Amino acid sequence: MNRISKLMVSAAAISAGLSPALPAFAADSELTVFDWAGFEEPSIFQGYVDKYGDVPTYAFFGDDDEAFQKVSSGFKADVTHPCSSAVQKYRDADLIEPWDVSKIAAFGDIDPKFLNSPVFKDDKGVWFLPTDWGVSAIAYAKGEVPDEDVASLDVFVNPKYEGRISLPDSADDVWSLAYLATGVTDWSDVTDEQFKAAADWLREANKLVRSYWSDPSEMAQLMASGEVLVAWSWNDGIAYLKDDGFDVGFQREAKEGSSTWFCGYVNMKDGPGSEEKAYDFMNAWLAPSSAQGLLDAIGYGHSNSKGMAELPAEEVADAGLGPIKAPILAQTPISAEQREKQLQEFEQIKAGF
């Protein structure tokens, strides 16, 4: 069984196991991690495994909105792995407490740009420990899609690819795509006119979409099978395809640009497990040595500047993490009102309205 097939089996089990919001991968019962599928790879937090001889118990989610709904409905975890734009919701709902950074050995090595927001760090403490970052860009089957077709994000509204396109089932990612396609590179203060233009573009793209993927392995499987030729993808879907020898392109330099994002961990209030183990887990995650494991396992960059500096430049570039000469929309925190507006409009668009 190849890597994509294994991940698809895992994703199916996760989907089935998570419907009641129960742990899908039980191990160390004293630490429950609520996470994206793929991050249970031990090489990312090897120090924890070395100390305790086991991995944490994992429960998985498919996107930030699903994760927030589960924890706000009572699912208990010790740490949760949201992306930056979702952190404000956790704070507003009083679900998290600050980290004691005096217990985080590598806190000073976190690239400061990842903490440059009062949502993450204020006079009450540090609410979010950034760990990983990546990009959303055009994945395409190189044998069937010419490079010139992906020189623009308009490939997603090109009738030539009707029924051969996949987009993420994630409001943040589809709106980053739609804003970029309509000339917006900063989503922190969009006008009503910009929102409408992006929504109109997304409605046109929706007409051509074969499916919305909820897990990168699902996207990779769709492309490997030939069902999908073009997708809006994260780095890990590309990594899975390359590992299985599929000739995939990752176009970050479409003329309208691509998107970047970063994620990290929050400390859940009243977690059921060991607070000491939660800190040991974060120390293992933030160690410089975990950067190579993260890159190898799922193709993401690390928040630890020292760890990133130790990575071979050619491996970083091959993962699609190098500098580009094109616009970038950074998925930074936005207001709860704007995020909810985008989520509701996306649901309407998917439903055909």
Side-chain angles (χ1 to χ4, degrees), residues 133-137 173 233-235 250 252 258-261 300 319-321:
W133 61 274
V135 304
S136 297
D173 275 297
S233 176
W234 304 332
N235 306 72
F250 196 39
R252 292 184 62 204
S258 56
S259 182
T260 62
W261 42 262
Y300 288 169
L321 298 171

Short mmCIF file of all heavy atoms in Angstrom, two decimals, residues 133-137 173 233-235 250 252 258-261 300 319-321:
data_model
loop_
_atom_site.label_atom_id
_atom_site.label_comp_id
_atom_site.label_asym_id
_atom_site.label_seq_id
_atom_site.Cartn_x
_atom_site.Cartn_y
_atom_site.Cartn_z
N TRP A 133 4.03 26.31 9.32
CA TRP A 133 3.50 27.22 8.31
C TRP A 133 3.62 26.60 6.93
O TRP A 133 4.41 25.68 6.72
CB TRP A 133 4.22 28.57 8.36
CG TRP A 133 5.70 28.52 8.09
CD1 TRP A 133 6.69 28.28 8.98
CD2 TRP A 133 6.34 28.71 6.82
NE1 TRP A 133 7.92 28.31 8.37
CE2 TRP A 133 7.74 28.58 7.05
CE3 TRP A 133 5.89 29.00 5.54
CZ2 TRP A 133 8.67 28.70 6.02
CZ3 TRP A 133 6.81 29.12 4.51
CH2 TRP A 133 8.20 28.97 4.77
N GLY A 134 2.80 27.11 6.03
CA GLY A 134 2.83 26.59 4.68
C GLY A 134 2.14 27.52 3.73
O GLY A 134 1.89 28.69 4.04
N VAL A 135 1.82 27.00 2.56
CA VAL A 135 1.23 27.82 1.51
C VAL A 135 0.04 27.10 0.89
O VAL A 135 -0.09 25.88 0.97
CB VAL A 135 2.26 28.17 0.41
CG1 VAL A 135 3.48 28.85 1.01
CG2 VAL A 135 2.68 26.93 -0.35
N SER A 136 -0.83 27.88 0.29
CA SER A 136 -1.92 27.36 -0.55
C SER A 136 -1.66 27.88 -1.96
O SER A 136 -1.53 29.09 -2.16
CB SER A 136 -3.28 27.83 -0.05
OG SER A 136 -3.54 27.36 1.25
N ALA A 137 -1.59 26.97 -2.90
CA ALA A 137 -1.27 27.34 -4.28
C ALA A 137 -1.85 26.29 -5.23
O ALA A 137 -2.54 25.36 -4.79
CB ALA A 137 0.25 27.47 -4.46
N ASP A 173 -9.35 29.04 3.15
CA ASP A 173 -8.55 28.80 1.94
C ASP A 173 -9.28 29.20 0.67
O ASP A 173 -8.68 29.77 -0.24
CB ASP A 173 -8.13 27.33 1.88
CG ASP A 173 -6.88 27.07 2.66
OD1 ASP A 173 -5.83 27.63 2.31
OD2 ASP A 173 -6.93 26.32 3.65
N SER A 233 -4.15 23.71 -3.22
CA SER A 233 -3.55 22.70 -2.35
C SER A 233 -2.61 23.28 -1.33
O SER A 233 -1.99 24.33 -1.54
CB SER A 233 -2.80 21.68 -3.20
OG SER A 233 -2.12 20.73 -2.40
N TRP A 234 -2.47 22.56 -0.22
CA TRP A 234 -1.41 22.83 0.76
C TRP A 234 -0.17 22.04 0.38
O TRP A 234 -0.20 21.17 -0.49
CB TRP A 234 -1.86 22.40 2.15
CG TRP A 234 -3.14 23.02 2.63
CD1 TRP A 234 -3.65 24.23 2.26
CD2 TRP A 234 -4.08 22.46 3.56
NE1 TRP A 234 -4.85 24.46 2.91
CE2 TRP A 234 -5.13 23.39 3.72
CE3 TRP A 234 -4.12 21.27 4.29
CZ2 TRP A 234 -6.21 23.16 4.57
CZ3 TRP A 234 -5.20 21.03 5.13
CH2 TRP A 234 -6.23 21.97 5.27
N ASN A 235 0.90 22.29 1.09
CA ASN A 235 2.17 21.60 0.80
C ASN A 235 2.09 20.09 0.99
O ASN A 235 2.74 19.33 0.26
CB ASN A 235 3.28 22.12 1.72
CG ASN A 235 3.45 23.60 1.67
OD1 ASN A 235 2.60 24.33 2.19
ND2 ASN A 235 4.53 24.08 1.08
N PHE A 250 3.49 22.53 -8.57
CA PHE A 250 2.96 23.37 -7.49
C PHE A 250 3.26 24.81 -7.88
O PHE A 250 4.37 25.29 -7.71
CB PHE A 250 3.63 23.00 -6.17
CG PHE A 250 2.91 23.50 -4.94
CD1 PHE A 250 1.53 23.51 -4.85
CD2 PHE A 250 3.64 23.94 -3.84
CE1 PHE A 250 0.88 23.94 -3.71
CE2 PHE A 250 3.00 24.38 -2.69
CZ PHE A 250 1.61 24.38 -2.62
N ARG A 252 3.13 28.47 -7.34
CA ARG A 252 2.95 29.54 -6.36
C ARG A 252 3.03 30.92 -7.01
O ARG A 252 2.71 31.92 -6.36
CB ARG A 252 4.02 29.46 -5.27
CG ARG A 252 3.90 28.24 -4.36
CD ARG A 252 4.95 28.32 -3.26
NE ARG A 252 4.75 29.51 -2.43
CZ ARG A 252 5.71 30.09 -1.71
NH1 ARG A 252 6.95 29.62 -1.74
NH2 ARG A 252 5.43 31.16 -0.98
N SER A 258 -0.37 33.69 -4.50
CA SER A 258 -0.75 32.52 -3.71
C SER A 258 -0.89 32.97 -2.26
O SER A 258 -0.68 34.14 -1.93
CB SER A 258 0.28 31.40 -3.86
OG SER A 258 1.58 31.86 -3.52
N SER A 259 -1.22 32.03 -1.40
CA SER A 259 -1.52 32.37 -0.01
C SER A 259 -0.55 31.69 0.94
O SER A 259 -0.02 30.61 0.64
CB SER A 259 -2.96 31.96 0.33
OG SER A 259 -3.30 32.30 1.66
N THR A 260 -0.32 32.30 2.10
CA THR A 260 0.46 31.67 3.16
C THR A 260 -0.37 31.67 4.44
O THR A 260 -1.28 32.47 4.62
CB THR A 260 1.78 32.43 3.43
OG1 THR A 260 1.48 33.77 3.86
CG2 THR A 260 2.66 32.47 2.20
N TRP A 261 -0.05 30.75 5.32
CA TRP A 261 -0.77 30.62 6.59
C TRP A 261 0.16 29.98 7.61
O TRP A 261 1.22 29.43 7.27
CB TRP A 261 -2.02 29.74 6.40
CG TRP A 261 -1.79 28.54 5.54
CD1 TRP A 261 -2.07 28.40 4.22
CD2 TRP A 261 -1.16 27.31 5.94
NE1 TRP A 261 -1.67 27.17 3.76
CE2 TRP A 261 -1.11 26.48 4.81
CE3 TRP A 261 -0.65 26.83 7.15
CZ2 TRP A 261 -0.56 25.20 4.84
CZ3 TRP A 261 -0.10 25.56 7.19
CH2 TRP A 261 -0.07 24.76 6.04
N TYR A 300 5.96 20.95 5.53
CA TYR A 300 5.69 22.27 6.09
C TYR A 300 6.95 22.90 6.67
O TYR A 300 7.91 22.22 7.04
CB TYR A 300 4.65 22.17 7.21
CG TYR A 300 3.23 21.90 6.74
CD1 TYR A 300 2.24 21.56 7.65
CD2 TYR A 300 2.88 21.98 5.40
CE1 TYR A 300 0.94 21.32 7.24
CE2 TYR A 300 1.59 21.74 4.98
CZ TYR A 300 0.62 21.40 5.90
OH TYR A 300 -0.67 21.16 5.49
N ALA A 319 9.89 21.80 -1.43
CA ALA A 319 8.60 21.71 -0.74
C ALA A 319 7.69 22.88 -1.05
O ALA A 319 6.53 22.90 -0.60
CB ALA A 319 8.84 21.62 0.77
N GLY A 320 8.19 23.86 -1.79
CA GLY A 320 7.37 25.02 -2.12
C GLY A 320 7.37 26.08 -1.04
O GLY A 320 6.41 26.84 -0.91
N LEU A 321 8.45 26.15 -0.28
CA LEU A 321 8.53 27.08 0.85
C LEU A 321 9.52 28.22 0.62
O LEU A 321 9.74 29.02 1.53
CB LEU A 321 8.91 26.32 2.13
CG LEU A 321 7.93 25.25 2.60
CD1 LEU A 321 8.54 24.44 3.74
CD2 LEU A 321 6.61 25.86 3.02
#
